[in-house]
Amino acid sequence: MTSTVGGQVRADLAEHVTALWCAPGLGVLVGEADRLLDANAAFLGLVGLTADEVVARGWRALLPEDRVHHDEVAFKQLTAADGATFATELVGPDDTRVPVLASVRVLDPDSRRWVAAVVDLSRESQLRRMAETEAAIVATLLADAPFGFALVSPDLRFLRVNAELAAMNGFTVAEHEGRPVFELLPELREDAEPLLRHVLETGEAIRDVEIVGTTPADPGTEHVWRESFFPVRAPGRPAVGVAAVARDETELHRLRAELERVSDQRRVALEEVQRTLLPTELPVVPGLDLAARYMPASEELRLGGDWYDAVVRADALLVAIGDAVGHGVHAVGLMARTSVALTAYLAEGHRPDVVLHRLDGLLQRGDASRPDDGGTVASALVAEVDTVTGTVTYAAAGHPYALLRSADGRVRRLGAAQGPLLGARSPSSYPCATALLEPGGALLLYTDGLVERRDESLTAGIDRLAATVARSRGSAEALVAAAVADCLGGREREDDVCLLAVVRPA
């Protein structure tokens, strides 16, 4: 009976060894005395050799040179004692050293046959190094990070805080740990507690929210913090806490408010400059009715360079309109130089084409005191209306065509005298053309802000304006009001708008 049981045990053991041989990730070696007889696939993967190569080289060739003597002595002791477990290293592919745990068992003392199970410890070593690295990161976060950090428990107590957050709150790191958050910081409960509970209940992170309040670090002074809250949990498990990251942005908010205040002051000053350069009132001209409108862009930072002017000279009315390219300080400065010079040229009695030629030369030269003052361009249109005959002599520099309505309501664009933008190239000349402003007719000058829309072509905008001019049969002021209503409606203006109407009553 004993022999039968022993035979069954040996049979079972053989089955177990076979299963061990096929186990994934477990290296198995079989040997006899100093010789290797075979190795399974997992072991061959560790050393990067075939079974024949392992058998031919022997177990000593699988060890780093500095371990051969030590492991040779140990191996003799182990085989004599029926087996044991020990840590060593193998030479892996590309001569890398692979830490392993080997368990050797003698199968037959007479033949000194043995089997060794080998476990790759390199993964564990990597995990250990990762743990050490993560510990170093956490230590740095808690000691030196330039932002506040806290780990809060599900019952809203501080578990860990770093030095930065402790300084923000006005307590030491030790005074935080284990204390209820809002026992230390009652002023922040209203804003912060709902956020912490939301993260704990839903597992959803909340990023970049503003928390406003006071802390004992600066009593009575309201601070603004930019904070984010993240659930702390293992994969597939509920949150075990909340990680909070905070940055004090109080000074940043103060600087933003100061910048806005300065920007508002600058805008007001620029608007005042712009207003002073526009006519305070239009001249009274017998036989003609005049009206004008200037409307700045709705967007606060898009202060533009649109302008208009009207000058009476002998038996003529000279009207002009222009648009300095760009926005802000540059555009207003360019508008100032151009409009002042144009008024002077008109007063000197020059024809519209000569006025544009001189303005172009002015912009080509730029400001000699500013070497970077190049590349400034503007559009303009100048028209001279004979107050007796109604003859209109006009010239344009890259500006939208003026619209002329005849007595019978037909509207045409004055496009026969178009030249390049002022300052665009040198030298430039500008053609001059004439038309007739009939009794009962109207002349409308405008800038592109009146007719441009992002969602349609410029032609569509001009056609809409032309239809309005054709319908309007009243005063110049009525024409201006109708043009603004039909072309702009209630839309926010993306650019400055200027328009100047001259009506010759029937």
XYZ file of all heavy atoms in Angstrom, residues 195-293:
774
model
N -18.386 72.658 -3.443
C -17.480 72.099 -4.447
C -16.836 70.805 -3.952
O -16.752 69.814 -4.694
C -16.399 73.131 -4.789
C -16.911 74.480 -5.328
C -15.747 75.431 -5.534
C -17.665 74.284 -6.626
N -16.385 70.797 -2.703
C -15.779 69.589 -2.137
C -16.787 68.444 -2.101
O -16.473 67.306 -2.465
C -15.250 69.880 -0.737
C -14.017 70.787 -0.643
C -13.775 71.204 0.802
C -12.796 70.079 -1.195
N -18.006 68.732 -1.689
C -19.020 67.673 -1.600
C -19.408 67.162 -2.989
O -19.673 65.966 -3.169
C -20.245 68.176 -0.835
C -19.937 68.491 0.631
C -21.171 68.555 1.478
N -20.842 68.867 2.867
C -20.408 67.980 3.757
N -20.258 66.715 3.383
N -20.138 68.346 4.984
N -19.425 68.052 -3.966
C -19.744 67.628 -5.329
C -18.705 66.630 -5.843
O -19.060 65.610 -6.456
C -19.802 68.843 -6.262
C -20.052 68.484 -7.698
N -21.317 68.281 -8.204
C -19.189 68.266 -8.736
C -21.225 67.957 -9.486
N -19.950 67.947 -9.839
N -17.444 66.901 -5.595
C -16.381 65.995 -6.045
C -16.499 64.647 -5.341
O -16.374 63.584 -5.963
C -14.999 66.624 -5.801
C -13.890 65.635 -6.138
C -14.839 67.887 -6.634
N -16.778 64.658 -4.024
C -16.901 63.411 -3.277
C -18.108 62.594 -3.725
O -18.047 61.372 -3.824
C -17.003 63.709 -1.777
C -15.717 64.190 -1.105
C -16.017 64.743 0.276
C -14.701 63.053 -1.013
N -19.221 63.255 -4.022
C -20.453 62.547 -4.363
C -20.460 62.050 -5.806
O -21.013 60.988 -6.100
C -21.654 63.465 -4.123
C -21.882 63.774 -2.638
C -22.880 64.903 -2.426
O -23.453 65.379 -3.439
O -23.079 65.308 -1.267
N -19.870 62.813 -6.709
C -19.946 62.460 -8.132
C -18.659 61.867 -8.683
O -18.674 61.217 -9.729
C -20.296 63.700 -8.973
O -19.197 64.637 -8.923
C -21.557 64.371 -8.463
N -17.541 62.100 -8.009
C -16.258 61.654 -8.549
C -15.767 62.499 -9.705
O -14.815 62.129 -10.387
N -16.406 63.650 -9.946
C -16.024 64.538 -11.048
C -15.093 65.638 -10.547
O -15.322 66.220 -9.486
C -17.267 65.186 -11.671
C -18.242 64.187 -12.269
C -19.518 64.857 -12.741
O -19.697 66.071 -12.444
O -20.348 64.189 -13.382
N -14.062 65.923 -11.322
C -13.139 66.999 -10.975
C -13.771 68.357 -11.287
O -14.600 68.476 -12.194
C -11.837 66.851 -11.745
N -13.395 69.363 -10.544
C -13.820 70.747 -10.788
C -12.554 71.565 -10.955
O -11.681 71.566 -10.080
C -14.662 71.306 -9.638
C -15.949 70.492 -9.484
C -14.995 72.776 -9.861
C -16.807 70.915 -8.309
N -12.446 72.271 -12.084
C -11.201 72.963 -12.408
C -11.394 74.472 -12.490
O -12.419 74.952 -12.965
C -10.653 72.467 -13.754
C -10.385 70.981 -13.809
C -10.031 70.527 -15.218
N -9.857 69.085 -15.312
C -8.721 68.442 -15.090
N -7.637 69.136 -14.800
N -8.641 67.138 -15.194
N -10.383 75.187 -12.045
C -10.249 76.634 -12.265
C -11.486 77.421 -11.857
O -12.095 78.129 -12.655
C -9.920 76.921 -13.737
C -8.553 76.404 -14.138
O -7.666 76.407 -13.270
O -8.377 76.007 -15.298
N -11.870 77.290 -10.587
C -12.954 78.115 -10.059
C -12.351 79.179 -9.146
O -11.284 78.987 -8.557
C -13.990 77.273 -9.295
C -14.702 76.327 -10.223
C -13.334 76.504 -8.146
N -13.045 80.298 -9.045
C -12.587 81.374 -8.167
C -13.254 81.242 -6.800
O -14.471 81.101 -6.702
C -12.908 82.749 -8.769
C -11.964 83.175 -9.860
C -12.163 84.637 -10.253
O -13.073 85.296 -9.683
O -11.421 85.120 -11.126
N -12.434 81.259 -5.776
C -12.917 81.292 -4.399
C -12.518 82.642 -3.820
O -11.341 83.029 -3.880
C -12.308 80.156 -3.551
C -12.612 78.791 -4.181
C -12.822 80.231 -2.129
C -14.054 78.396 -4.171
N -13.479 83.361 -3.263
C -13.233 84.700 -2.728
C -13.540 84.701 -1.235
O -14.586 84.186 -0.806
C -14.109 85.749 -3.440
C -13.829 87.144 -2.883
C -13.866 85.719 -4.940
N -12.637 85.227 -0.451
C -12.886 85.292 0.981
C -11.669 85.778 1.742
O -10.725 86.333 1.163
N -11.685 85.544 3.050
C -10.575 85.961 3.910
C -10.077 84.765 4.710
O -10.803 83.781 4.910
C -11.012 87.071 4.891
O -12.050 86.558 5.754
C -11.545 88.280 4.133
N -8.825 84.837 5.160
C -8.253 83.811 6.027
C -7.490 84.505 7.148
O -7.156 85.695 7.046
C -7.274 82.899 5.257
O -6.107 83.656 4.909
C -7.911 82.340 3.988
N -7.181 83.764 8.217
C -6.395 84.363 9.306
C -5.016 84.846 8.877
O -4.389 85.623 9.611
C -6.287 83.214 10.320
C -7.501 82.374 10.069
C -7.704 82.426 8.594
N -4.530 84.419 7.716
C -3.219 84.891 7.260
C -3.239 86.385 6.961
O -2.209 87.061 7.079
C -2.789 84.118 6.014
N -4.398 86.910 6.568
C -4.527 88.337 6.246
C -5.927 88.789 6.641
O -6.787 89.033 5.780
C -4.290 88.539 4.746
C -4.099 90.012 4.373
O -4.029 90.850 5.296
O -4.029 90.309 3.167
N -6.192 88.893 7.937
C -7.554 89.152 8.416
C -8.129 90.446 7.832
O -7.452 91.461 7.743
C -7.374 89.279 9.938
C -6.083 88.595 10.233
C -5.224 88.817 9.035
N -9.397 90.371 7.430
C -10.091 91.560 6.953
C -9.820 91.932 5.513
O -10.457 92.840 4.970
N -8.869 91.256 4.866
C -8.543 91.564 3.476
C -9.072 90.444 2.577
O -8.709 89.283 2.755
C -7.019 91.694 3.277
O -6.527 92.735 4.126
C -6.708 92.038 1.826
N -9.908 90.811 1.628
C -10.487 89.820 0.728
C -9.453 89.376 -0.309
O -8.818 90.205 -0.948
C -11.719 90.402 0.039
C -12.503 89.389 -0.765
C -13.810 89.952 -1.285
O -13.772 90.616 -2.346
O -14.843 89.758 -0.639
N -9.316 88.072 -0.434
C -8.399 87.497 -1.419
C -9.192 86.718 -2.463
O -10.326 86.295 -2.223
C -7.392 86.562 -0.748
C -6.285 87.288 -0.050
N -4.964 87.191 -0.451
C -6.302 88.141 1.010
C -4.210 87.940 0.341
N -4.998 88.522 1.236
N -8.557 86.515 -3.612
C -9.140 85.713 -4.687
C -8.185 84.561 -4.971
O -6.999 84.785 -5.244
C -9.349 86.549 -5.972
C -9.960 85.680 -7.073
C -10.227 87.759 -5.693
N -8.709 83.334 -4.889
C -7.903 82.154 -5.180
C -8.471 81.447 -6.404
O -9.694 81.331 -6.575
C -7.906 81.168 -4.006
C -7.238 81.689 -2.781
C -5.917 81.669 -2.478
C -7.888 82.332 -1.660
N -5.684 82.242 -1.253
C -6.877 82.665 -0.733
C -9.203 82.650 -1.368
C -7.156 83.294 0.476
C -9.490 83.282 -0.177
C -8.472 83.602 0.726
N -7.591 80.953 -7.254
C -7.977 80.097 -8.370
C -7.729 78.663 -7.925
O -6.598 78.276 -7.641
C -7.137 80.419 -9.598
C -7.375 79.537 -10.791
C -8.642 79.849 -11.522
N -8.669 81.229 -11.986
C -9.690 81.762 -12.635
N -10.763 81.024 -12.893
N -9.655 83.016 -13.021
N -8.799 77.852 -7.847
C -8.674 76.526 -7.258
C -9.234 75.440 -8.172
O -10.145 75.675 -8.972
C -9.383 76.471 -5.900
C -8.839 77.488 -4.903
C -9.208 77.174 -3.472
O -9.542 76.004 -3.193
O -9.148 78.086 -2.630
N -8.668 74.234 -8.031
C -9.162 73.041 -8.715
C -9.262 71.922 -7.686
O -8.455 71.836 -6.746
C -8.223 72.631 -9.853
O -8.187 73.621 -10.863
N -10.282 71.050 -7.862
C -10.532 69.961 -6.920
C -10.624 68.651 -7.699
O -11.357 68.560 -8.696
C -11.836 70.203 -6.159
C -11.867 71.517 -5.417
C -12.376 72.653 -6.024
C -11.375 71.619 -4.125
C -12.408 73.864 -5.363
C -11.401 72.825 -3.454
C -11.906 73.957 -4.068
N -9.892 67.622 -7.230
C -9.827 66.350 -7.940
C -10.116 65.203 -6.968
O -9.628 65.209 -5.825
C -8.443 66.130 -8.551
C -7.981 67.256 -9.430
C -7.234 68.307 -8.916
C -8.316 67.265 -10.775
C -6.817 69.345 -9.721
C -7.894 68.298 -11.592
C -7.148 69.336 -11.073
N -10.897 64.210 -7.402
C -11.133 63.054 -6.533
C -9.869 62.219 -6.393
O -9.114 62.042 -7.350
C -12.234 62.282 -7.263
C -12.079 62.670 -8.702
C -11.590 64.092 -8.698
N -9.635 61.698 -5.188
C -8.500 60.805 -4.932
C -9.084 59.410 -4.742
O -9.853 59.176 -3.811
C -7.715 61.239 -3.681
C -6.574 60.256 -3.402
C -7.175 62.644 -3.867
N -8.721 58.464 -5.619
C -9.309 57.137 -5.547
C -8.435 56.156 -6.318
O -7.682 56.549 -7.210
C -10.716 57.133 -6.141
C -10.722 57.517 -7.608
C -12.118 57.726 -8.117
N -12.086 58.283 -9.459
C -13.075 58.949 -10.012
N -14.176 59.154 -9.334
N -12.981 59.418 -11.234
N -8.590 54.880 -5.992
C -8.000 53.814 -6.787
C -8.947 53.526 -7.945
O -10.152 53.790 -7.847
C -7.801 52.572 -5.928
N -8.426 53.006 -9.064
C -9.291 52.731 -10.223
C -10.492 51.861 -9.847
O -10.353 50.827 -9.194
C -8.358 52.008 -11.193
C -6.989 52.482 -10.823
C -7.018 52.667 -9.336
N -11.684 52.292 -10.258
C -12.897 51.522 -10.026
C -13.444 51.621 -8.624
O -14.399 50.913 -8.283
N -12.893 52.473 -7.784
C -13.356 52.593 -6.402
C -13.875 54.008 -6.140
O -13.493 54.952 -6.830
C -12.220 52.280 -5.423
C -11.696 50.860 -5.546
C -10.611 50.595 -4.527
N -10.047 49.255 -4.656
C -9.080 48.780 -3.887
N -8.548 49.561 -2.946
N -8.642 47.555 -4.060
N -14.740 54.180 -5.139
C -15.229 55.527 -4.816
C -14.110 56.405 -4.271
O -13.072 55.912 -3.807
C -16.310 55.258 -3.757
C -15.956 53.929 -3.169
C -15.348 53.141 -4.287
N -14.323 57.700 -4.324
C -13.310 58.650 -3.864
C -13.070 58.486 -2.370
O -14.008 58.316 -1.586
C -13.748 60.074 -4.184
N -11.792 58.508 -1.992
C -11.434 58.428 -0.570
C -10.998 59.784 -0.047
O -10.584 59.911 1.108
C -10.302 57.401 -0.359
C -10.780 56.019 -0.744
C -9.064 57.784 -1.155
N -11.088 60.791 -0.885
C -10.709 62.140 -0.478
C -10.693 63.068 -1.678
O -11.012 62.671 -2.796
N -10.322 64.307 -1.425
C -10.254 65.320 -2.480
C -8.896 65.993 -2.410
O -8.447 66.405 -1.328
C -11.363 66.381 -2.318
C -11.245 67.449 -3.401
C -12.737 65.732 -2.379
N -8.235 66.090 -3.572
C -7.003 66.873 -3.675
C -7.383 68.273 -4.151
O -8.091 68.420 -5.152
C -6.033 66.223 -4.649
N -6.929 69.278 -3.443
C -7.236 70.660 -3.794
C -5.943 71.396 -4.118
O -4.950 71.276 -3.390
C -7.956 71.370 -2.641
N -5.954 72.130 -5.227
C -4.801 72.927 -5.647
C -5.259 74.379 -5.723
O -6.295 74.681 -6.322
C -4.278 72.466 -7.025
C -3.105 73.331 -7.468
C -3.858 71.002 -6.971
N -4.507 75.286 -5.116
C -4.929 76.685 -5.038
C -3.773 77.620 -5.357
O -2.625 77.353 -4.992
C -5.464 76.997 -3.640
N -4.109 78.710 -6.050
C -3.134 79.761 -6.322
C -3.771 81.105 -5.977
O -4.887 81.399 -6.418
C -2.709 79.742 -7.790
C -1.599 80.742 -8.109
C -1.267 80.725 -9.597
N -0.739 79.437 -10.016
C 0.532 79.078 -9.901
N 1.414 79.910 -9.370
N 0.935 77.897 -10.320
N -3.080 81.905 -5.202
C -3.595 83.226 -4.816
C -3.426 84.193 -5.987
O -2.313 84.482 -6.420
C -2.831 83.742 -3.592
C -3.521 84.950 -2.954
O -4.227 85.682 -3.682
O -3.346 85.162 -1.746
N -4.564 84.678 -6.533
C -4.541 85.588 -7.677
C -5.011 86.988 -7.304
O -5.422 87.762 -8.153
C -5.418 85.027 -8.804
C -4.881 83.736 -9.400
C -5.620 83.330 -10.662
O -6.707 83.894 -10.924
O -5.108 82.458 -11.387
N -4.932 87.305 -6.017
C -5.391 88.616 -5.566
C -4.628 89.745 -6.254
O -5.226 90.706 -6.757
C -5.221 88.729 -4.039
O -5.865 87.617 -3.416
C -5.826 90.031 -3.522
N -3.321 89.629 -6.303
C -2.521 90.687 -6.924
C -2.784 90.748 -8.425
O -2.829 91.841 -9.009
C -1.033 90.430 -6.662
C -0.087 91.476 -7.252
C -0.280 92.870 -6.665
O -0.963 93.001 -5.635
O 0.269 93.835 -7.246
N -2.975 89.586 -9.045
C -3.283 89.570 -10.475
C -4.594 90.291 -10.756
O -4.696 91.061 -11.714
C -3.361 88.117 -10.954
C -3.723 87.903 -12.434
C -2.694 88.571 -13.337
C -3.834 86.417 -12.743
N -5.597 90.080 -9.903
C -6.878 90.779 -10.078
C -6.702 92.276 -9.900
O -7.318 93.075 -10.621
C -7.905 90.238 -9.083
C -8.619 89.005 -9.560
N -9.959 88.985 -9.855
C -8.162 87.753 -9.826
C -10.303 87.782 -10.266
N -9.227 87.005 -10.252
N -5.874 92.652 -8.934
C -5.652 94.085 -8.725
C -4.998 94.716 -9.950
O -5.388 95.808 -10.396
C -4.776 94.308 -7.489
C -4.629 95.775 -7.102
C -3.532 95.964 -6.075
N -2.214 95.708 -6.646
C -1.558 96.569 -7.431
N -2.103 97.730 -7.771
N -0.366 96.262 -7.898
N -4.010 94.025 -10.496
C -3.324 94.549 -11.683
C -4.259 94.615 -12.886
O -4.208 95.567 -13.674
C -2.113 93.670 -12.009
C -0.960 93.723 -10.995
C 0.103 92.701 -11.356
C -0.356 95.125 -10.947
N -5.135 93.606 -13.030
C -6.104 93.641 -14.130
C -7.040 94.830 -13.998
O -7.358 95.509 -14.975
C -6.908 92.340 -14.157
C -6.155 91.148 -14.721
C -6.993 89.896 -14.604
N -6.320 88.736 -15.153
C -6.722 87.486 -14.970
N -7.811 87.239 -14.238
N -6.063 86.477 -15.508
N -7.521 95.066 -12.759
C -8.422 96.198 -12.541
C -7.719 97.514 -12.844
O -8.306 98.437 -13.437
C -8.933 96.175 -11.101
N -6.445 97.602 -12.459
C -5.687 98.821 -12.729
C -5.488 99.001 -14.229
O -5.604 100.116 -14.756
C -4.332 98.747 -12.023
C -3.421 99.955 -12.236
C -3.967 101.234 -11.629
O -4.890 101.157 -10.790
O -3.481 102.319 -12.014
N -5.200 97.906 -14.925
C -5.025 97.974 -16.374
C -6.320 98.404 -17.057
O -6.304 99.223 -17.982
C -4.572 96.609 -16.911
C -4.346 96.513 -18.422
C -3.274 97.493 -18.879
C -3.969 95.093 -18.823
N -7.450 97.864 -16.599
C -8.738 98.263 -17.172
C -9.007 99.743 -16.921
O -9.527 100.444 -17.792
C -9.858 97.411 -16.574
C -9.836 95.956 -17.047
C -10.886 95.122 -16.355
O -11.653 95.690 -15.534
O -10.942 93.900 -16.614
N -8.652 100.195 -15.720
C -8.874 101.617 -15.411
C -8.024 102.500 -16.319
O -8.515 103.485 -16.884
C -8.529 101.888 -13.941
C -8.822 103.314 -13.490
C -8.344 103.523 -12.068
N -6.898 103.463 -11.968
C -6.094 104.465 -12.283
N -6.589 105.617 -12.736
N -4.787 104.338 -12.165
N -6.754 102.128 -16.495
C -5.875 102.907 -17.367
C -6.360 102.843 -18.812
O -6.350 103.852 -19.531
C -4.429 102.388 -17.256
C -3.529 103.050 -18.299
C -3.877 102.649 -15.854
N -6.807 101.646 -19.233
C -7.308 101.503 -20.598
C -8.545 102.366 -20.816
O -8.706 102.985 -21.873
C -7.633 100.033 -20.890
O -6.468 99.245 -20.841
N -9.421 102.399 -19.806
C -10.620 103.237 -19.919
C -10.233 104.707 -20.024
O -10.816 105.458 -20.812
C -11.529 103.026 -18.713
C -12.238 101.678 -18.754
O -12.264 101.073 -19.840
O -12.742 101.238 -17.704
N -9.245 105.112 -19.224
C -8.803 106.506 -19.278
C -8.203 106.825 -20.655
O -8.451 107.900 -21.213
C -7.769 106.769 -18.180
C -8.343 106.785 -16.773
C -7.265 107.000 -15.728
O -6.081 106.799 -15.979
N -7.680 107.414 -14.540
N -7.417 105.888 -21.177
C -6.812 106.121 -22.491
C -7.878 106.201 -23.568
O -7.815 107.056 -24.454
C -5.833 104.988 -22.822
C -5.048 105.227 -24.099
C -4.135 104.088 -24.434
N -4.873 102.908 -24.858
C -4.316 101.834 -25.403
N -3.002 101.772 -25.538
N -5.040 100.805 -25.774
N -8.874 105.327 -23.480
C -9.936 105.348 -24.480
C -10.701 106.664 -24.431
O -11.012 107.254 -25.464
C -10.893 104.169 -24.263
C -12.050 104.197 -25.246
C -12.963 102.995 -25.100
N -14.122 103.156 -25.951
C -14.133 102.893 -27.246
N -13.040 102.467 -27.840
N -15.233 103.070 -27.956
N -11.020 107.103 -23.207
C -11.745 108.377 -23.074
C -10.928 109.508 -23.684
O -11.465 110.383 -24.384
C -12.051 108.661 -21.588
C -12.555 110.087 -21.404
C -13.086 107.670 -21.072
N -9.603 109.504 -23.421
C -8.750 110.557 -23.975
C -8.723 110.494 -25.499
O -8.808 111.527 -26.177
C -7.332 110.416 -23.412
N -8.627 109.267 -26.050
C -8.602 109.130 -27.500
C -9.928 109.561 -28.123
O -9.961 110.191 -29.182
C -8.292 107.687 -27.888
C -6.856 107.217 -27.631
C -6.733 105.733 -27.901
C -5.875 108.001 -28.490
N -11.029 109.198 -27.462
C -12.332 109.623 -27.978
C -12.457 111.136 -27.958
O -13.046 111.736 -28.869
C -13.447 108.982 -27.155
C -13.615 107.488 -27.416
C -14.690 106.876 -26.547
O -15.048 107.500 -25.510
O -15.166 105.780 -26.869
N -11.900 111.737 -26.920
C -11.953 113.200 -26.843
C -11.129 113.823 -27.974
O -11.554 114.800 -28.605
C -11.435 113.663 -25.474
C -11.517 115.158 -25.245
C -12.947 115.677 -25.287
O -13.875 114.910 -24.959
O -13.129 116.858 -25.681
N -9.949 113.242 -28.234
C -9.141 113.728 -29.353
C -9.917 113.595 -30.657
O -9.954 114.498 -31.488
C -7.806 112.944 -29.431
C -7.083 113.245 -30.734
C -6.931 113.289 -28.240
N -10.554 112.433 -30.818
C -11.294 112.185 -32.044
C -12.441 113.184 -32.203
O -12.673 113.710 -33.298
C -11.828 110.754 -32.018
C -12.173 110.185 -33.377
C -12.399 108.696 -33.306
O -12.765 108.166 -32.263
N -12.180 108.009 -34.406
N -13.148 113.434 -31.109
C -14.274 114.382 -31.182
C -13.810 115.777 -31.523
O -14.467 116.503 -32.281
C -15.051 114.376 -29.864
C -16.003 113.211 -29.711
C -16.949 113.435 -28.549
N -16.243 113.468 -27.278
C -16.032 112.409 -26.521
N -16.465 111.229 -26.915
N -15.380 112.516 -25.381
N -12.668 116.188 -30.955
C -12.203 117.559 -31.224
C -11.771 117.748 -32.675
O -11.747 118.875 -33.175
C -11.017 117.916 -30.304
O -9.949 117.011 -30.546
C -11.423 117.852 -28.844
N -11.441 116.636 -33.365
C -11.019 116.745 -34.756
C -12.194 116.712 -35.731
O -12.020 116.994 -36.915
C -10.051 115.606 -35.087
C -8.709 115.676 -34.347
C -7.942 114.385 -34.528
C -7.890 116.854 -34.845
N -13.366 116.346 -35.246
C -14.558 116.368 -36.086
C -15.251 117.714 -35.952
O -15.167 118.365 -34.903
C -15.518 115.237 -35.688
C -14.985 113.815 -35.861
C -15.975 112.808 -35.283
C -14.715 113.513 -37.335
N -15.942 118.158 -36.985
C -16.631 119.453 -36.906
C -17.653 119.461 -35.771
O -18.399 118.495 -35.578
C -17.334 119.569 -38.269
C -16.603 118.625 -39.170
C -16.133 117.512 -38.305
N -17.669 120.522 -34.996
C -18.676 120.650 -33.937
C -20.049 120.930 -34.536
O -21.076 120.576 -33.950
C -18.292 121.772 -32.966
O -18.106 122.988 -33.711
C -17.008 121.420 -32.233
N -20.068 121.596 -35.695
C -21.313 121.814 -36.416
C -20.993 122.012 -37.895
O -19.872 122.384 -38.261
C -22.063 123.032 -35.876
C -21.272 124.321 -35.949
C -22.033 125.505 -35.366
O -22.951 125.286 -34.561
O -21.691 126.642 -35.733
N -21.954 121.690 -38.722
C -21.759 121.820 -40.162
C -22.091 123.240 -40.612
O -22.939 123.911 -40.009
C -22.652 120.821 -40.904
C -22.310 119.345 -40.680
C -23.375 118.453 -41.305
C -20.937 119.021 -41.248
N -21.429 123.715 -41.666
C -21.713 125.070 -42.129
C -23.122 125.173 -42.740
O -23.682 124.181 -43.216
C -20.637 125.298 -43.200
C -20.278 123.932 -43.676
C -20.395 123.049 -42.493
N -23.663 126.390 -42.688
C -24.946 126.666 -43.334
C -24.653 127.168 -44.743
O -23.954 128.165 -44.929
C -25.757 127.715 -42.544
C -27.053 128.046 -43.286
C -26.044 127.203 -41.132
N -25.194 126.443 -45.740
C -24.908 126.767 -47.131
C -26.229 127.020 -47.851
O -27.074 126.112 -47.928
C -24.150 125.618 -47.829
C -23.798 126.010 -49.262
C -22.902 125.241 -47.045
N -26.423 128.248 -48.363
C -27.668 128.537 -49.087
C -27.856 127.565 -50.254
O -26.935 127.279 -51.007
C -27.470 129.969 -49.581
C -26.491 130.566 -48.625
C -25.574 129.440 -48.272
N -29.057 127.014 -50.362
C -29.380 126.112 -51.455
C -28.991 124.667 -51.220
O -29.265 123.811 -52.070
N -28.358 124.374 -50.098
C -27.960 122.995 -49.787
C -28.315 122.664 -48.342
O -28.312 123.539 -47.468
C -26.461 122.791 -50.003
C -25.928 122.968 -51.428
C -24.409 122.835 -51.429
C -26.548 121.949 -52.379
N -28.616 121.422 -48.093
C -28.938 120.934 -46.745
C -27.909 119.864 -46.383
O -27.698 118.917 -47.144
C -30.354 120.350 -46.731
C -30.759 119.872 -45.340
O -30.208 120.387 -44.349
O -31.616 118.966 -45.254
N -27.262 120.012 -45.228
C -26.192 119.098 -44.833
C -26.535 118.377 -43.524
O -27.203 118.942 -42.638
C -24.875 119.854 -44.616
C -24.022 120.199 -45.848
C -24.707 121.241 -46.716
C -22.649 120.681 -45.401
N -26.072 117.147 -43.389
C -26.176 116.389 -42.137
C -25.054 115.365 -42.109
O -24.611 114.881 -43.155
C -27.529 115.704 -42.025
N -24.594 115.049 -40.923
C -23.498 114.084 -40.767
C -23.697 113.295 -39.493
O -24.416 113.710 -38.575
C -22.150 114.782 -40.761
N -23.041 112.154 -39.427
C -23.111 111.323 -38.234
C -21.792 110.565 -38.086
O -21.263 110.040 -39.069
C -24.259 110.325 -38.370
C -24.554 109.480 -37.130
C -25.406 110.241 -36.126
N -26.649 110.684 -36.723
C -27.781 109.971 -36.740
N -27.798 108.757 -36.235
N -28.883 110.470 -37.257
